[in-house]
Amino acid sequence: MLICVTNRKLCPEDFLNRLNLLAQGHPKAIMLREKDLSLTEYQALATEVKQICDLHRVTLIINQNVTVAAQLELTNVHLSMSDLRQYQNKLAEFVVGASVHSVEEAKEAEKLGASYLVAGHIFATHCKKGMPPRGLSFLRAVCDAVSIPVYAIGGITQDKVANIIKTGAKGVCVMSEAMTCANPVALTNSFRR
């Protein structure tokens, strides 16, 4: 299963058109990351992206902005561990994902009510230059430590998916390739095989 993670700064064309093409390929979800936007800017963009996701029946995951998710009546949010700790008692109406970077964080996130985890970064990636990847053994350890679904992130390409799935991961998150590939529909379709 594929979750496309956005980063409009990587996108060489119209960002909303790119998301529309990705949604046409029916990934499991599109996670609207865009951490540099103000709350007002993020909400305006999320409103437009919600229309695209609704049109193609793709789940929209709101990243870090619980307020925006509530205002748009969206149920899927993705949080950092610090935000999961902070908001843990205010998340009952949400399907909550958490980003984890250790087995200990994975266990804690599950105890705090996370429905799924994004573990990374697994492979070398331009987004984390100079930071060594955690690798497949880390991913396997996270998957073995929790009973909720785990998605791999970081340097993910289609040729690595089979080995990722062998670790027990439910799926993958792709940002760079989703934002830059020549054919977004083909990309999302290729991850469903």
Side-chain angles (χ1 to χ4, degrees):
M1 286 194 195
L2 172 66
I3 298 174
C4 295
V5 181
T6 73
N7 183 341
R8 70 191 192 292
K9 292 180 178 180
L10 296 177
C11 188
E13 76 223 29
D14 179 77
F15 179 65
L16 292 175
N17 183 59
R18 165 72 50 160
L19 296 187
N20 186 55
L21 292 171
L22 289 168
Q24 285 178 35
H26 295 96
K28 175 180 176 47
I30 293 176
M31 183 186 299
L32 187 62
R33 191 167 174 265
E34 310 313 318
K35 294 181 177 183
D36 63 315
L37 295 178
S38 71
L39 188 63
T40 303
E41 292 169 327
Y42 186 92
Q43 182 170 355
L45 181 58
T47 300
E48 292 182 284
V49 175
K50 180 182 184 303
Q51 292 173 354
I52 292 168
C53 289
D54 286 350
L55 175 66
H56 298 290
R57 295 185 177 139
V58 172
T59 299
L60 174 58
I61 301 171
I62 297 296
N63 189 69
Q64 300 299 116
N65 288 290
V66 175
T67 303
V68 170
Q71 289 172 340
L72 296 179
E73 298 180 355
L74 295 167
T75 57
N76 293 276
V77 295
H78 188 84
L79 303 174
S80 65
M81 282 303 297
S82 60
D83 281 349
L84 179 60
R85 291 177 191 118
Q86 179 182 346
Y87 294 111
Q88 64 180 303
N89 296 321
K90 301 175 184 174
L91 299 170
E93 73 256 29
F94 295 105
V95 174
V96 180
S99 293
V100 299
H101 304 94
S102 70
V103 171
E104 293 74 26
E105 283 185 345
K107 291 177 182 178
E108 181 185 1
E110 184 174 37
K111 285 180 185 169
L112 292 174
S115 300
Y116 69 92
L117 304 175
V118 172
H121 66 284
I122 304 305
F123 301 105
T125 174
H126 293 294
C127 297
K128 305 277 185 188
K129 278 188 181 174
M131 294 179 66
R134 291 181 172 85
L136 292 172
S137 60
F138 160 75
L139 182 59
R140 183 182 311 282
V142 168
C143 292
D144 289 347
V146 297
S147 61
I148 57 178
V150 177
Y151 292 82
I153 194 167
I156 308 296
T157 53
Q158 212 283 325
D159 60 313
K160 296 173 182 166
V161 172
N163 287 330
I164 289 168
I165 298 304
K166 287 177 187 174
T167 69
K170 178 80 170 175
V172 298
C173 298
V174 175
M175 181 173 65
S176 296
E177 194 172 11
M179 294 293 103
T180 62
C181 68
N183 189 334
V185 177
L187 173 80
T188 52
N189 283 330
S190 73
F191 278 88
R192 282 206 316 266
R193 293 182 196 147

